[in-house]
Amino acid sequence: MNIKQSDLGGIANQVTTKHGIILILASVMPAMAIISLVPVLPLLLQEFAHVNGSEFLVPIALTIPALCVAVFSPLAGWVSDKIGRKSVLFYALLIYAAIGLLPFFLTDLFHIIIARVILGMAEAAIMTVATAMIGDYFVGKARERWVAIQIASVSLSAIVLIAIGGGLGEVMGARGPFLLYLLALPIAFCVAVILFEPQKTADNAELQNAKLPWMRVLPLLFITLFVGVIFYTIIVKLGEILALASDVSPAVIGAIGAAANIGVAIGSFVFRRFKGASGPVLISTGLILAALGYCGAAFSGSLLLTSIALVVACTGFGMLLPTMLTWILKELPENVRGRGTGLWTGAFFLGQFSAPIVVTALQSQLGGLEAVLLLVAGLAAVGGIIALFNVKGAPGLVAQ
């Protein structure tokens, strides 16, 4: 249904918790695309061992959706600005379910990779539009709350999804986790029945024709890209980082990874406790926590201390992500919110896709993972200090 309103208060009166929950559930779908398959990666490698280059192609099949999200998110946002958010989200969820399930039946690795590329396009639309609609539906404290819930939910869902994916893999083999993509169908139904198309609230032509504020947005996108790279460095190199302190089993790696994701959730809720804090203050706090965590992981000789250091770093990331998303939503005029959100989503997922490539290259150049961890710690610390120099005169980002 379409609802017309002349101001932000009008739409706020129409939005309830169920609207936010549906958007959060939609936001979890792109994360599920990779996380749920992690437990069956060894089974897929075994199944396609006869394919030339399978040791490279199978991991690519898992991660290629992240690259597609990075590439296609700006386009998805532009389309949603032009034709409307609700329809884009609805059809993207349907495509996600159908194409996500397809590898359950496919036997050719290259066909699976093609399906995963199309899936990534659908993910780009889902993540971008769900986030843009949070910005459309909510303002002020409510927006900050739902942005924090979105970040926390995606992080915490990873713990559940990796367990379910492992269970399905145990019972049904390498293809079992692909059944999880069917979860998008009830979410699509809720989108169709419950969500409404956000209407433009600006009445004058000047606001309706507002342009993307590139000078204010670009620095936020570069910071987001940097945060994405250093955040996913912990995710993709978790086992190697822990091995610097002690030999670890897959079960231990999984448990510490779960704790790290809980750290992200804690940081996202702590973000809202900084009442009246400006963007530079929050960025500085998050980056300094990340620097301390990375530094601790590099120097620690104890598995316990390394684990604590990683949770500290992830708490910093949990603060940084809602800070960047809240800030960019605040800067975007509503008529270009889809495009701007698409650019932010693209920057973050580009960081996710680039992290293993960047870190592996740095390891070979710097002589080991410890040196990479110290380099990241130094860069994060420098970024935190630079942010502090921009605190003076910066407006509050978190509502009082």
Side-chain angles (χ1 to χ4, degrees):
M1 71 181 183
N2 290 329
I3 296 177
K4 295 182 179 180
Q5 66 283 325
S6 59
D7 54 28
L8 291 173
I11 191 169
N13 292 333
Q14 303 293 336
V15 177
T16 63
T17 300
K18 65 184 177 184
H19 297 92
I21 291 174
I22 293 167
L23 294 174
I24 297 302
L25 291 174
S27 299
V28 169
M29 293 296 100
M32 186 179 76
I34 295 177
I35 293 296
S36 62
L37 299 183
V38 169
V40 298
L41 178 58
L43 296 178
L44 290 169
L45 285 167
Q46 182 179 350
E47 178 181 345
F48 293 109
H50 64 282
V51 178
N52 289 333
S54 61
E55 68 281 358
F56 171 76
L57 292 172
V58 171
I60 283 294
L62 260 67
T63 59
I64 195 69
L67 178 61
C68 294
V69 173
V71 172
F72 292 104
S73 288
L75 175 61
W78 179 82
V79 171
S80 76
D81 283 336
K82 294 297 182 182
I83 69 173
R85 312 242 197 267
K86 178 178 173 177
S87 59
V88 172
L89 182 58
F90 173 72
Y91 287 112
L93 285 164
L94 293 183
I95 294 170
Y96 176 95
I99 300 300
L101 178 65
L102 198 56
F104 183 84
F105 305 101
L106 295 175
T107 56
D108 186 285
L109 179 57
F110 293 97
H111 292 165
I112 291 174
I113 291 174
I114 292 171
R116 299 284 288 175
V117 169
I118 300 172
L119 178 75
M121 297 179 187
E123 287 180 33
I126 293 168
M127 194 68 192
T128 297
V129 176
T131 304
M133 290 185 79
I134 289 174
D136 291 332
Y137 280 1
F138 304 101
V139 293
K141 290 182 179 180
R143 178 185 289 173
E144 293 160 15
R145 181 171 64 253
W146 283 105
V147 165
I149 291 172
Q150 181 189 35
I151 301 297
S153 298
V154 172
S155 297
L156 293 175
S157 70
I159 302 170
V160 178
L161 291 171
I162 200 167
I164 295 175
L168 287 171
E170 188 75 24
V171 174
M172 306 184 68
R175 306 310 174 85
F178 288 101
L179 293 174
L180 282 172
Y181 293 92
L182 293 174
L183 291 174
L185 291 178
I187 299 173
F189 175 79
C190 291
V191 168
V193 174
I194 298 174
L195 297 191
F196 58 88
E197 180 64 36
Q199 299 295 313
K200 303 299 182 188
T201 60
D203 293 326
N204 62 68
E206 180 181 353
L207 290 177
Q208 288 283 13
N209 296 320
K211 304 297 184 183
L212 197 67
W214 285 105
M215 294 303 292
R216 299 197 301 275
V217 166
L218 272 178
L220 303 179
L221 295 178
F222 283 120
I223 296 170
T224 299
L225 176 60
F226 174 65
V227 170
V229 171
I230 63 174
F231 174 40
Y232 277 96
T233 294
I234 287 180
I235 304 300
V236 301
K237 291 291 183 178
L238 179 59
E240 291 182 50
I241 293 172
L242 296 175
L244 294 174
S246 171
D247 291 334
V248 286
S249 67
V252 171
I253 295 172
I256 296 173
N261 278 295
I262 292 172
V264 175
I266 291 171
S268 66
F269 286 116
V270 169
F271 150 79
R272 294 189 57 241
R273 301 300 178 186
F274 281 69
K275 304 295 186 183
S278 66
V281 166
L282 293 164
I283 289 174
S284 178
T285 304
L287 286 176
I288 289 172
L289 285 173
L292 290 172
Y294 265 98
C295 197
F299 286 119
S300 171
S302 159
L303 184 60
L304 176 61
L305 292 178
T306 300
S307 303
I308 293 171
L310 294 179
V311 172
V312 169
C314 286
T315 301
F317 294 128
M319 292 185 64
L320 285 164
L321 295 176
T323 295
M324 302 313 303
L325 184 50
T326 299
W327 196 342
I328 205 162
L329 287 173
K330 192 173 183 179
E331 295 288 350
L332 293 171
E334 64 182 22
N335 66 310
V336 293
R337 187 171 288 143
R339 270 170 283 181
T341 305
L343 289 167
W344 185 88
T345 304
F348 181 64
F349 275 83
L350 180 59
Q352 175 181 334
F353 182 80
S354 304
I357 301 170
V358 171
V359 177
T360 302
L362 287 173
Q363 276 183 261
S364 63
Q365 293 294 318
L366 299 178
L369 185 56
E370 298 100 325
V372 176
L373 298 179
L374 288 174
L375 174 63
V376 173
L379 292 173
V382 169
I385 293 169
I386 292 173
L388 284 177
F389 282 108
N390 291 276
V391 168
K392 187 175 181 179
L397 185 67
V398 181
Q400 295 279 5

